Amino acid sequence: MSAIVFMAGFAAAWWVMGLGLQAPVGQLAVGPVVSVAMILFARWRLRNVPPASSARAARSRRIIGWALGGEGVAIAVVSHLMVKAGLIAFIVPAVAIIVGLHFLPLAKLFQVKIYYVAGALITLAGLAGLAVDAPHRALVTGLASAILLWLTCAYRLTFEHRSPAPLPVA
């Protein structure tokens, strides 16, 4: 459930970032509304899934913490360097590339194959964002990343009929 909440929450953020805060409120609201609906559906869909053991949950939180921490540091460093180099227009696509790449080790560690697909496609969305003109970079990257995260949530909720596979014992 927490993976769905994280992905849906970040999908809403990508949506808003892609449209930009100058977009009409109705358009901006679509992202958060879709994400809240996804989270509510996940609560309903996973209502009978037993909670993970405390040891498994603790290990999962540790892995997620390291992954998000590493991702956050990479985003901060790359963003800082891009600002210093005068490449501000490339920050959003660069962030998408980092986000996409962070899914790849998570796919292996949590044995969730769809994360390989999500990671590759979000990385490609970032690369596509680098290729379009500056006024459309955030739009292309942000909306593509949001939609890909929502599709990843939907896939997991639709096709994974059990809780994620147990983590390998270290």
Side-chain angles (χ1 to χ4, degrees):
M1 175 70 182
S2 62
I4 302 298
V5 172
F6 272 111
M7 287 188 290
F10 281 112
W14 277 112
W15 181 268
V16 171
M17 188 179 352
L19 288 177
L21 294 177
Q22 72 277 10
V25 173
Q27 290 177 2
L28 287 173
V30 169
V33 167
V34 171
S35 290
V36 167
M38 183 76 63
I39 292 166
L40 292 173
F41 177 72
R43 279 192 77 136
W44 174 81
R45 174 74 173 82
L46 302 174
R47 68 192 177 283
N48 295 323
V49 174
S53 71
S54 59
R56 182 177 183 278
R59 183 150 192 265
S60 292
R61 283 192 301 274
R62 235 182 356 266
I63 290 170
I64 295 291
W66 280 104
L68 290 175
E71 177 187 38
V73 167
I75 289 169
V77 168
V78 167
S79 296
H80 175 75
L81 293 174
M82 293 183 109
V83 167
K84 289 291 189 186
L87 300 171
I88 294 170
F90 293 99
I91 292 175
V92 173
V95 169
I97 292 167
I98 293 166
V99 169
L101 292 174
H102 112 284
F103 271 94
L104 302 179
L106 293 178
K108 182 165 180 60
L109 287 167
F110 289 111
Q111 301 172 8
V112 179
K113 291 180 184 176
I114 192 66
Y115 287 174
Y116 287 116
V117 176
L121 292 176
I122 293 170
T123 301
L124 287 174
L127 292 171
L130 294 174
V132 299
D133 59 326
H136 296 102
R137 277 192 191 112
L139 178 71
V140 167
T141 307
L143 298 188
S145 297
I147 291 165
L148 289 166
L149 286 171
W150 287 324
L151 288 173
T152 303
C153 291
Y155 178 90
R156 291 204 65 198
L157 289 169
T158 302
F159 297 108
E160 294 178 9
H161 302 290
R162 56 179 175 73
S163 58
L167 294 171
V169 177

